[in-house]
Amino acid sequence: MSGKQAARLKYACDMDKSVLLNNFEARGWIPVGPDDDWQFYWANVQSVRNVFSVDSGYRLQDDQVINHFPNHMELTRKDLMVKNIKRYRKELDKDNNPLAEKDDTGRFIHLDFIPHTYTLPADYNLFVEEFRKNPNTTWIMKPSGKARGIGIFLVNKLSQLKKWSRDSKTSNFVPPTSKDTYVISKYIDNPLLIGGKKFDLRLYVLVTTFRPLKCYMYKLGFSRFCTVKYNANVNELDNMFVHLTNVSIQKTGNDYNAVHGGKWTTQNLRLYLESTRGKEITDKLFDEIDWLIVHTLKAVAGVISNDRHCFECYGWDIIIDDNLKPWLIEVNASPSLTSTTSSDRIMKYKLINDVINIVIPPGEQPDVRWNKTAGKENLGNFYVLYDEDLAQSDPVALDPKMKLGTGPVRGGLRETKGRPSPATWK
Amino acid sequence: MESHFSPGYVQNLLQSLKSSKIYTDLHNAAQTEVSKTSVRVSELKKGVQSGLAASGWERKLRNEIYQYLLSHPVSSHPQATPAEHIKEPLLYLRKAQQAWEKRILKSLNSMCTELNIPLARKRPEKEQKELAGRWTELGIDGPDLTQIRPVYAPKDFLEVIMCLQNPNYNAGDSSGTYTLWGLVQLPLKLSSINRLRLLYSDMAINQCQTGVDDSSDIPADMFDSDRVKLGKKVLQAEHSPIAQEYAKKGCPVSLREDLWSQILGINVDEFDVLYYEQLKANVIAHDLLVDSLLYKDVKLTATNDDQYFVFEDFLYQILLPFTRDTEVLSHFARNSASPPKSYIRGKLGDENFSVVYPPNGVIPFHGFAMYVAPLCYLYKEPVKLYYAFRAIYTRFFFRLHSISSHTQGIVCLSLLFENLLQTHEAELFFYLKSVGCQPLKIAFKWLVRAFSGYLSSDQVLLLWDRILAYNSLEILSVLAVSIFSFRKTNLLKVQSYNAAEAVLADLTTLQVIPLIQLSLFSK
């Protein structure tokens, strides 16, 4: 089939990362500058701001694709994400949608996937009320706009938050700039431990359009382990190595190992959980993770500006507690493409390769007017997480109660259950 | 009723049962039965027996006897087999094993003297408290390991095996024409391919297997869901032989832990927990040089392995108590090896002052920790994990690092590997030999470690399912041959030993069950 000959596209890339550049070179694409006539632009978030800013007068052509949505921060800033999810839940509740079903204590059954969160300084008083109800709990403070574990600390006393209490008591109201806001969430102090160590999951999800929602989950996600034993002891709250699993923080610890980088494949995690906890509960866990992601994307779908030139590959951080319940920690717009080990490099290379194949079907010129339905043969290591077009066309699947069912078709949600086929990093 | 068990054998069996816990338990259960009002004095014996059977004691007794049968094979001369013949019938191999042991012990002792570390020392009170406090995180702040080196590695052991010669066997030719083509030069009895096909007949290609037919692209109702239903029924029966028979087609992941526990006869109760705590107390009280060897081993192997690094701390919690466990000594009755002896300071040679060192008689070698690592995927807490490891080691893995003529000993497994390869892949074998690569040199380390650390973890567990189910390690040799066969095309292009090793360096993408099936059943 000679039609599959790769088209030599022009690309611009803001980041000097081998996993990106190797992919472009392997396709014979031609590097150009961001101000030139590029067809594919892997930009960093600042450049994206410029491209879409009202003053720039930039107008994207029909054959240009870029790797961020203009206002992705609705999903990737912790405070906005929480706000959008809370609003989504309220809306479903108002409509008496079965998804918004609550249990006897008033907690959502299906939509309870973010820990209790407040924005500071805006919600300071609400937070204090909650804190006083349960004074022995730990909370985690995160700056809304930062990444890689920078600026995070743990709080178990109100005195640690003096700064915000003073601000909210001032008579001259100074609206906080986005740089100063923090979110404070209930710390999950019963994380699932394996070998006595805490870990979190890093999953990659590609979104090609929000309305209709089309998203794809990468099978080769991984778990990141803390190098130091997990210790819930109050005195250890300051020890960031114990509590934070970001690789950039773990890397500086004494026990960091560069061979495996503290990372475990999702296969190993599944094998361990199935062997020690059983298949049903493990399947339920991975199912809930899929749904958690879909709900979050749906929550922001209404506010994201669905520019058809855009796609985005997000890094999702999820923690599992020891009841095998997943919790969403945050979503990253620019997941790290630096490789810490050779398996890592191979995995990230494949990730970019598959992303490009889904966004621009191989051999074709990019055309943003297409319906963005990726062919099965181009998915690579992705599987279709949710495709709203397919869901709409299948009336059976619109029943939200089927989310935990074992029926074969769940409205565009992935059809295969059970273990993913043995895709490996190698 | 005719039994092929001699009266002496039955006597030994009864003796062993009487001195084990099940005797007291049965006794107590019988007392409970007697006191029941439904039992009539005139039919006391029958009543108690049926009561015991109904409450599951007959099953438990059967399981206990089954475990005994597995570990005490019936010998050919019921009356006259001397103890050392049960260990190893051939004199020259006994002598070779003893010489090898002497070498190991010498190496250990010289490391002691060189580094000025005692073989054993009592820990001061303060150190004991500190160690007890961080028992669950032994991976951090271990002893200083820079000077410690493993006592021996599989390749050293291979060199010893290569030099073994049967003094009674004289081919009568000095030109070496009749020497065997591989590295092992011993005329030992091995299973033929046909016998292996019969033994592993449940793995034939026309039989559905876990590891082949339960992958996600095959609809679950074809095999997997029925298999799991059957597995749950098997588990309810609580009968070791049935569990073992079921495992012949592999264990579903979610049922594996319980199935292995039933096959190995592991039932952890309070006494077992107490015993483990006792071993732990022994570790805390005394520091042995062997501990540093184990630390070093874990750091060199599991900690660097991206599948097992997570379990590092568990490994210490299993291996350190293991060295203190004197119950392990009983397996030496059927092991050609003998526990090494050491002498109290100043009393060298005086038998009254000799002690077994380490207390369990097993000196670890490079890679020993990998016998435990795959089990960490099954058992999430240390006590059960400990007993599972101990059972699997004293049933199977001890044979992988001692010199013996047993068909499942490493010597025979190596020879079996070479024979099978020469017979069924003659072109490959001779080509490799011609470029200076003896296949066993590469495969040996796989065999010694039962492939742990070389295959991906789920495949190791599938392989070990079959070891337990068929009660034989021969499958290791079959798998090794099938791997060479699988990569034949690339192997036939290599020009050196290093190139061959590179082709076979990464086995983590292999699916072992289809490979074994191809090897055994498709020629």
Side-chain angles (χ1 to χ4, degrees):
Chain A
M1 269 208 302
S2 61
K4 282 293 174 190
Q5 193 186 18
R8 289 170 66 87
L9 302 180
K10 294 194 232 134
Y11 75 90
C13 183
D14 283 345
M15 297 176 223
D16 185 21
K17 298 282 180 206
S18 60
V19 298
L20 286 168
L21 300 174
N22 290 343
N23 260 297
F24 302 141
E25 280 166 25
R27 288 169 165 77
W29 288 3
I30 307 159
V32 301
D35 297 321
D36 298 331
D37 258 341
W38 47 264
Q39 290 162 298
F40 184 93
Y41 188 5
W42 192 278
N44 59 32
V45 290
Q46 289 93 299
S47 314
V48 170
R49 262 201 284 272
N50 292 337
V51 167
F52 288 108
S53 95
V54 186
D55 330 315
S56 73
Y58 220 118
R59 212 163 159 244
L60 291 178
Q61 305 299 320
D62 279 348
D63 65 344
Q64 292 187 300
V65 285
I66 190 168
N67 68 325
H68 287 291
F69 285 91
N71 60 342
H72 61 78
M73 51 288 281
E74 293 285 346
L75 180 60
T76 57
R77 266 183 63 108
K78 303 170 191 51
D79 52 350
L80 297 177
M81 173 191 85
V82 169
K83 179 188 101 199
N84 283 315
I85 290 177
K86 282 185 179 175
R87 190 206 68 240
Y88 173 71
R89 294 203 294 216
K90 256 210 269 263
E91 282 169 5
L92 288 178
D93 199 16
K94 258 207 303 205
D95 294 340
N96 285 321
N97 191 316
L99 278 172
E101 199 182 327
K102 293 195 186 147
D103 67 14
D104 308 325
T105 64
R107 292 194 80 137
F108 287 103
I109 298 181
H110 307 300
L111 298 178
D112 182 29
F113 53 82
I114 44 170
H116 244 115
T117 306
Y118 298 97
T119 310
L120 292 182
D123 298 335
Y124 181 78
N125 291 324
L126 285 172
F127 164 70
V128 170
E129 216 184 292
E130 178 64 37
F131 186 82
R132 290 214 169 109
K133 272 196 256 180
N134 302 302
N136 285 327
T137 51
T138 311
W139 295 73
I140 181 164
M141 279 282 280
K142 301 190 231 189
S144 295
K146 300 250 174 66
R148 295 191 167 76
I150 299 171
I152 296 185
F153 59 97
L154 296 177
V155 160
N156 63 347
K157 290 197 278 282
L158 272 180
S159 52
Q160 291 164 297
L161 298 177
K162 271 210 270 262
K163 176 175 175 210
W164 283 270
S165 81
R166 240 182 311 144
D167 280 2
S168 72
K169 281 193 185 134
T170 53
S171 43
N172 318 333
F173 177 65
V174 178
T177 61
S178 59
K179 288 208 176 79
D180 294 340
T181 57
Y182 276 69
V183 288
I184 185 162
S185 320
K186 188 115 183 319
Y187 186 63
I188 296 161
D189 55 12
N190 63 335
L192 175 66
L193 301 179
I194 298 186
K197 300 194 167 82
K198 182 177 165 181
F199 68 100
D200 76 348
L201 279 182
R202 160 50 65 93
L203 299 171
Y204 295 100
V205 178
L206 169 66
V207 179
T208 48
T209 146
F210 276 92
R211 292 185 306 271
L213 179 61
K214 286 183 203 269
C215 51
Y216 306 86
M217 168 83 102
Y218 196 56
K219 292 180 197 170
L220 304 181
F222 52 90
S223 318
R224 297 179 292 208
F225 281 83
C226 283
T227 52
V228 171
K229 219 12 156 312
Y230 179 72
N231 187 335
N233 193 317
V234 169
N235 296 326
E236 289 285 333
L237 283 182
D238 285 335
N239 184 345
M240 282 297 112
F241 294 119
V242 174
H243 292 281
L244 298 183
T245 52
N246 295 73
V247 175
S248 31
I249 297 209
Q250 293 293 325
K251 246 170 137 169
T252 55
N254 281 334
D255 288 307
Y256 179 77
N257 180 312
V259 170
H260 49 71
K263 293 179 181 172
W264 232 24
T265 60
T266 311
Q267 258 90 295
N268 282 329
L269 177 65
R270 251 210 128 99
L271 176 64
Y272 177 83
L273 289 177
E274 269 190 45
S275 306
T276 53
R277 302 275 192 138
K279 190 159 157 55
E280 288 83 19
I281 199 174
T282 305
D283 284 346
K284 179 161 171 274
L285 166 69
F286 283 94
D287 214 38
E288 281 181 8
I289 291 176
D290 282 351
W291 275 103
L292 179 166
I293 295 176
V294 172
H295 281 307
T296 311
L297 289 173
K298 280 182 146 200
V300 300
V303 293
I304 294 259
S305 105
N306 194 35
D307 190 318
R308 61 189 184 178
H309 301 90
C310 304
F311 69 92
E312 208 152 12
C313 178
Y314 300 102
W316 290 67
D317 292 339
I318 292 177
I319 271 202
I320 305 175
D321 72 15
D322 66 16
N323 297 316
L324 286 205
K325 184 179 157 64
W327 295 94
L328 175 61
I329 302 300
E330 65 169 350
V331 183
N332 287 293
S334 308
S336 163
L337 293 176
T338 321
S339 318
T340 51
T341 67
S342 62
S343 324
D344 207 35
R345 179 166 310 121
I346 296 173
M347 184 272 285
K348 287 180 178 159
Y349 177 89
K350 284 188 186 178
L351 172 68
I352 303 300
N353 183 40
D354 292 338
V355 165
I356 299 177
N357 285 346
I358 292 179
V359 170
I360 306 178
E364 294 177 22
Q365 293 283 340
D367 182 350
V368 301
R369 294 165 300 175
W370 76 305
N371 70 350
K372 302 194 198 274
T373 302
K376 251 203 174 124
E377 66 282 359
N378 295 328
L379 291 177
N381 289 306
F382 277 95
Y383 62 83
V384 177
L385 183 59
Y386 187 74
D387 185 325
E388 201 164 338
D389 276 344
L390 293 180
Q392 305 288 21
S393 61
D394 189 339
V396 179
L398 281 180
D399 175 12
K401 279 238 173 68
M402 284 196 65
K403 86 176 185 95
L404 289 175
T406 50
V409 177
R410 282 180 285 135
L413 197 68
R414 65 188 175 98
E415 293 170 12
T416 51
K417 280 217 68 159
R419 262 164 268 132
S421 46
T424 61
W425 296 8
K426 308 258 154 88
Chain B
M1 181 199 69
E2 206 197 283
S3 159
H4 73 289
F5 297 110
S6 67
Y9 187 87
V10 177
Q11 191 76 348
N12 285 337
L13 167 59
L14 287 174
Q15 196 97 358
S16 154
L17 285 175
K18 282 202 178 134
S19 57
S20 73
K21 202 166 143 283
I22 193 164
Y23 186 69
T24 345
D25 287 345
L26 267 174
H27 202 77
N28 292 338
Q31 299 268 40
T32 337
E33 287 301 318
V34 165
S35 57
K36 283 200 182 140
T37 48
S38 51
V39 173
R40 301 199 333 225
V41 179
S42 50
E43 296 181 318
L44 192 64
K45 186 165 170 189
K46 234 174 71 177
V48 171
Q49 273 181 345
S50 53
L52 284 176
S55 48
W57 281 102
E58 191 204 338
R59 261 296 138 82
K60 290 192 189 149
L61 185 59
R62 274 179 188 257
N63 284 338
E64 193 81 16
I65 296 179
Y66 186 66
Q67 295 299 326
Y68 181 89
L69 288 178
L70 284 176
S71 42
H72 294 81
V74 181
S75 57
S76 37
H77 287 284
Q79 261 91 26
T81 317
E84 46 178 20
H85 280 223
I86 300 182
K87 285 164 75 81
E88 171 51 54
L90 300 178
L91 177 64
Y92 75 97
L93 287 179
R94 277 209 297 276
K95 290 215 168 118
Q97 171 66 22
Q98 283 163 7
W100 170 236
E101 279 166 23
K102 269 210 189 76
R103 258 179 73 181
I104 299 176
L105 201 53
K106 193 155 159 249
S107 169
L108 190 64
N109 279 324
S110 62
M111 192 189 324
C112 261
T113 355
E114 243 177 65
L115 305 177
N116 205 12
I117 311 174
L119 278 178
R121 76 179 167 96
K122 192 167 165 66
R123 280 189 232 265
E125 189 74 40
K126 192 169 136 223
E127 191 184 327
Q128 286 193 30
K129 274 217 180 73
E130 189 251 335
L131 190 63
R134 59 181 184 89
W135 177 254
T136 49
E137 348 178 275
L138 292 171
I140 314 164
D141 289 341
D144 175 20
L145 298 171
T146 43
Q147 304 270 51
I148 307 278
R149 14 165 238 290
V151 179
Y152 67 97
K155 63 174 171 20
D156 306 312
F157 191 44
L158 177 59
E159 278 169 21
V160 171
I161 293 181
M162 275 163 57
C163 301
L164 293 175
Q165 292 278 354
N166 183 348
N168 290 338
Y169 183 77
N170 185 348
D173 78 311
S174 47
S175 65
T177 326
Y178 296 108
T179 52
L180 299 178
W181 293 317
L183 292 176
V184 183
Q185 297 292 323
L186 300 173
L188 291 172
K189 184 163 179 251
L190 303 169
S191 297
S192 68
I193 184 86
N194 286 325
R195 194 180 160 271
L196 288 172
R197 285 190 182 130
L198 278 174
L199 173 65
Y200 292 112
S201 60
D202 273 306
M203 286 182 68
I205 299 184
N206 61 346
Q207 311 259 3
C208 285
Q209 301 285 326
T210 304
V212 179
D213 300 287
D214 61 339
S215 70
S216 56
D217 23 352
I218 297 179
D221 46 9
M222 268 195 71
F223 170 69
D224 199 31
S225 39
D226 286 335
R227 183 85 184 141
V228 172
K229 264 201 247 162
L230 181 59
K232 290 190 176 151
K233 270 207 213 142
V234 166
L235 283 174
Q236 277 179 323
E238 288 189 26
H239 194 43
S240 303
I242 296 184
Q244 194 167 319
E245 189 64 30
Y246 174 83
K248 284 185 177 172
K249 296 199 184 159
C251 302
V253 176
S254 47
L255 303 178
R256 183 177 277 132
E257 180 205 339
D258 291 323
L259 283 166
W260 282 27
S261 300
Q262 284 195 7
I263 297 174
L264 295 167
I266 301 167
N267 277 308
V268 176
D269 58 19
E270 327 82 68
F271 294 103
D272 297 318
V273 174
L274 271 175
Y275 187 74
Y276 175 78
E277 293 296 321
Q278 180 64 41
L279 294 176
K280 179 174 153 188
N282 289 345
V283 175
I284 294 178
H286 290 89
D287 177 24
L288 300 182
L289 174 61
V290 188
D291 293 349
S292 301
L293 289 175
L294 286 167
Y295 258 102
K296 183 88 180 177
D297 192 40
V298 172
K299 293 281 183 195
L300 285 176
T301 55
T303 316
N304 282 330
D305 188 315
D306 59 6
Q307 301 190 88
Y308 303 111
F309 70 90
V310 175
F311 304 115
E312 183 187 348
D313 295 321
F314 272 24
L315 294 178
Y316 301 120
Q317 293 175 53
I318 301 305
L319 290 166
L320 297 180
F322 180 64
T323 58
R324 283 24 177 214
D325 193 347
T326 48
E327 283 192 7
V328 174
L329 292 174
S330 57
H331 92 280
F332 282 106
R334 49 189 190 278
N335 187 353
S336 60
S338 303
K341 281 212 261 241
S342 182
Y343 297 90
I344 306 282
R345 193 183 295 244
K347 305 276 187 201
L348 191 65
D350 188 344
E351 281 306 319
N352 291 332
F353 293 93
S354 72
V355 287
V356 170
Y357 183 90
N360 73 341
V362 181
I363 295 186
F365 56 91
H366 178 53
F368 192 83
M370 297 306 283
Y371 285 146
V372 190
L375 296 171
C376 296
Y377 275 90
L378 297 185
Y379 298 97
K380 59 181 188 277
E381 58 82 35
V383 182
K384 211 165 178 199
L385 174 56
Y386 176 76
Y387 286 101
F389 165 64
R390 189 178 79 169
I392 217 176
Y393 177 81
T394 52
R395 275 261 292 261
F396 299 104
F397 292 158
F398 71 90
R399 298 200 189 277
L400 296 174
H401 63 97
S402 51
I403 300 174
S404 92
S405 63
H406 193 277
T407 32
Q408 292 177 44
I410 187 71
V411 180
C412 282
L413 291 179
S414 307
L415 192 53
L416 179 61
F417 163 74
E418 291 189 317
N419 269 11
L420 288 174
L421 197 61
Q422 288 157 13
T423 320
H424 300 281
E425 293 285 355
E427 183 198 354
L428 178 61
F429 182 90
F430 285 103
Y431 177 76
L432 287 174
K433 199 172 163 190
S434 71
V435 297
C437 169
Q438 274 278 7
L440 184 61
K441 274 223 163 87
I442 299 179
F444 189 72
K445 55 189 188 289
W446 302 339
L447 299 174
V448 172
R449 283 221 211 145
F451 285 92
S452 168
Y454 297 107
L455 296 170
S456 77
S457 35
D458 58 328
Q459 298 298 316
V460 174
L461 291 171
L462 284 167
L463 179 66
W464 290 13
D465 280 344
R466 271 56 174 207
I467 293 180
L468 270 97
Y470 294 94
N471 201 30
S472 166
L473 291 163
E474 288 160 307
I475 201 163
L476 297 175
S477 306
V478 174
L479 177 60
V481 170
S482 64
I483 293 175
F484 272 77
S485 199
F486 186 63
R487 300 220 168 142
K488 186 159 129 178
T489 333
N490 286 342
L491 284 170
L492 286 173
K493 295 188 193 146
V494 303
Q495 299 292 331
S496 70
Y497 172 78
N498 289 337
E501 226 186 3
V503 170
L504 294 166
D506 181 7
L507 306 182
T508 50
T509 49
L510 297 179
Q511 303 270 304
V512 301
I513 307 299
L515 279 180
I516 295 174
Q517 284 181 323
L518 272 171
S519 236
L520 279 179
F521 300 110
S522 69
K523 291 281 192 308

